[in-house]
């Protein structure tokens, strides 16, 4: 059985910023942190951004943001929004000593004021899951920018299926005319989606 969320870090060695965020999540009882496998993917992708702008919706207590910060360039700028003001305050404290990082207590849509982004992680809105509103990648991303969405379940056939039906949220991104997108399995039970916006339509 795969352990997910904050409990997945019980036996995992992680960078110092991640350890601080995990400790904050445990202290406040927040269980829905991104897993360490997805976190490693975020760290890798952040490393490739250079001195760019990284955005995240759904800070939680800052675990995913900490993975991003662990990989980000010293000249990068990271902005994350969290709609729960108490959690936003907890996360802001985690990053109080890192001038690259800003945590904002706000709705996910308010993140756009800090864009466009070279790397955008959608974990708290904008991903189109659960009938939510998906972002317009041509507005939110710079040309060459990357979009990351986690927590999809593996699907070995086409179209991808969730709960016995076509996974419309995943199909939205995999077929998006402005993205080059693919799925990356990060655990046996979890898939992350990564897409690049080349700055033009890529499909008819």
């Amino acid at each position: 059985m795969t352990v997910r969320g904050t409990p997945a870090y019980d036996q995992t060695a992680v960078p110092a910023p991640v350890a601080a965020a995990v400790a904050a999540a445990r202290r406040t009882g927040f269980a829905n942190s991104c897993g360490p496998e997805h976190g490693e993917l975020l760290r890798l992708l952040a490393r490739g951004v250079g001195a760019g702008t990284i955005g995240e919706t759904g800070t939680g207590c800052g675990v995913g943001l900490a993975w991003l910060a662990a990989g980000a360039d010293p000249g990068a700028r990271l902005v994350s929004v969290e709609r729960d003001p108490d959690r936003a305050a907890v996360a802001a404290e985690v990053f109080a000593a890192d001038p690259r990082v800003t945590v904002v207590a706000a709705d996910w849509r308010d993140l756009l004021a800090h864009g466009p982004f070279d790397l955008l992680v959608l974990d708290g809105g904008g991903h189109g899951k659960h009938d939510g509103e998906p972002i317009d990648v041509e507005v939110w991303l710079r040309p060459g920018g990357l979009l990351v969405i986690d927590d999809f379940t593996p699907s070995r056939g086409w179209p991808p299926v969730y709960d016995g039906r076509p996974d419309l949220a995943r199909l939205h991104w995999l077929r998006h005319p402005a993205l080059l997108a693919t799925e990356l399995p990060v655990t046996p039970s979890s898939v992350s989606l990564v897409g690049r916006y080349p700055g033009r339509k890529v499909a008819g």
Side-chain angles (χ1 to χ4, degrees), residues 104-186:
V104 183
D107 181 79
W108 70 264
R109 296 169 185 82
D110 296 321
L111 181 63
L112 181 56
H114 301 272
F117 299 97
D118 299 285
L119 172 61
L120 178 61
V121 181
L122 300 179
D123 193 33
H127 42 56
K129 296 181 184 179
H130 317 298
D131 299 320
E133 175 188 350
I135 65 162
D136 182 343
V137 296
E138 295 177 90
V139 174
W140 283 70
L141 294 178
R142 286 196 176 100
L146 289 172
L147 174 72
V148 186
I149 308 172
D150 75 338
D151 221 15
F152 290 100
T153 55
S155 182
R156 299 188 182 280
W158 185 264
V161 172
Y162 177 71
D163 200 22
R165 294 176 293 179
D167 189 340
L168 298 182
R170 190 175 348 188
L171 286 168
H172 172 81
W173 301 113
L174 292 174
R175 292 175 167 172
H176 199 291
L179 282 179
L180 297 167
T182 192
E183 299 176 357
L184 297 175
V186 293

Side-chain angles (χ1 to χ4, degrees), residues 5-96:
T6 306
Y9 290 87
D10 287 347
Q11 304 297 325
T12 303
V14 295
V18 179
V22 169
R26 287 178 174 147
R27 186 172 64 251
T28 58
F30 183 73
N32 295 323
S33 303
C34 86
E37 298 86 358
H38 181 68
E40 290 285 6
L41 174 62
L42 296 182
R43 177 164 64 165
L44 177 66
L45 295 176
R47 188 171 296 138
V49 167
T53 302
I54 299 171
E56 179 193 44
T57 66
T59 317
C61 289
V63 174
L65 183 59
W67 281 108
L68 291 166
D73 188 272
R77 182 170 66 97
L78 299 88
V79 184
S80 183
V81 296
E82 169 58 50
R83 66 181 180 180
D84 183 289
D86 293 332
R87 282 199 291 267
V90 168
E93 180 62 27
V94 169
F95 297 100

Side-chain angles (χ1 to χ4, degrees), residues 32 59 85 101 126 159 181 189 192:
N32 295 323
T59 317
V101 179
S189 61
S192 295

